[in-house]
Amino acid sequence: MRKSQLLAGVLAPIVALTGIGTAILINRSWWRLTDNAISDLGKLDLPNNWVLNVSLVVSAIMAIYYAVGLVEEVSNTVEKLGIGVFIAGLAFLALIGLFPEGTSPHYYVSWGFFIFASLGFLVTGIGLGLSGEKELAVFSIALFTVGWALALWAKNSFPGIAPAEFVGVFGVIAWHYTVMWKKFRGAPRPRG
């Protein structure tokens, strides 16, 4: 994996969370965690909607660039398939920014991100287990199970969808950084 791909992998979640956090600050007069969706911060005709939408597109591109490099680092077909599904989820993340709330595809691309990203990390985790990385497999399966259970609970417990979305977002980020740490800590120096 190239050094630039590793750097993109480190920075991608930071770019997304910074954009979300900044958009929340800009819209704090009306946006509430328990009453809204994250996408409300990027809806059509909202002043400064670009803060959320651009950060999602940029972070998705960075994460895809990293994940393409990750494909080269794994050994079996299940891992490669899982990363491919994960990349599809990241493409849906970019589409959330390109088709913000108020456009007809928005609902579908939002669900596409959460479904494909979580299924991608589950399948990749199972593949990692088949390659002998049992801890990552257990972590991936547990995170998928607990994450979806918590997200469904949050979806049914609050009037807004943002709590469930944040459960999904932080689950994907936790998996991403855990895999990155386990695979590349102490690894040979990446290519230029």
Side-chain angles (χ1 to χ4, degrees):
M1 179 177 293
R2 295 179 176 154
K3 187 175 184 179
S4 59
Q5 288 173 305
L6 276 174
L7 183 61
V10 169
L11 294 178
I14 296 167
V15 169
L17 292 176
T18 299
I20 292 168
T22 303
I24 289 170
L25 286 173
I26 290 169
N27 296 290
R28 67 186 176 277
S29 64
W30 61 268
W31 193 88
R32 299 291 175 264
L33 174 67
T34 57
D35 297 331
N36 292 99
I38 296 172
S39 294
D40 292 344
L41 300 164
K43 64 186 171 185
L44 284 181
D45 300 323
L46 180 71
N48 301 310
N49 64 353
W50 64 269
V51 173
L52 176 73
N53 296 330
V54 170
S55 67
L56 295 182
V57 172
V58 170
S59 66
I61 291 168
M62 294 170 75
I64 289 169
Y65 179 58
Y66 161 78
V68 167
L70 187 59
V71 171
E72 300 169 9
E73 303 293 327
V74 297
S75 57
N76 71 49
T77 304
V78 176
E79 290 169 305
K80 291 179 190 295
L81 173 66
I83 294 169
V85 173
F86 190 71
I87 289 171
L90 296 170
F92 279 113
L93 177 62
L95 291 173
I96 292 171
L98 295 173
F99 297 104
E101 186 177 310
T103 63
S104 57
H106 178 75
Y107 176 82
Y108 303 103
V109 297
S110 294
W111 273 103
F113 166 66
F114 291 106
I115 291 169
F116 280 86
S118 61
L119 283 175
F121 81 64
L122 174 66
V123 174
T124 305
I126 292 168
L128 289 165
L130 295 173
S131 291
E133 298 188 55
K134 303 293 185 208
E135 291 175 354
L136 283 175
V138 170
F139 175 73
S140 300
I141 293 167
L143 186 64
F144 177 86
T145 305
V146 171
W148 271 95
L150 282 175
L152 291 173
W153 170 81
K155 182 181 177 298
N156 294 322
S157 299
F158 300 101
I161 194 79
E165 292 173 326
F166 274 115
V167 168
V169 166
F170 285 118
V172 169
I173 291 171
W175 181 82
H176 166 72
Y177 281 133
T178 300
V179 169
M180 182 176 263
W181 174 258
K182 293 284 280 177
K183 289 203 77 60
F184 299 108
R185 152 182 72 109
R189 288 183 53 94
R191 300 186 315 261

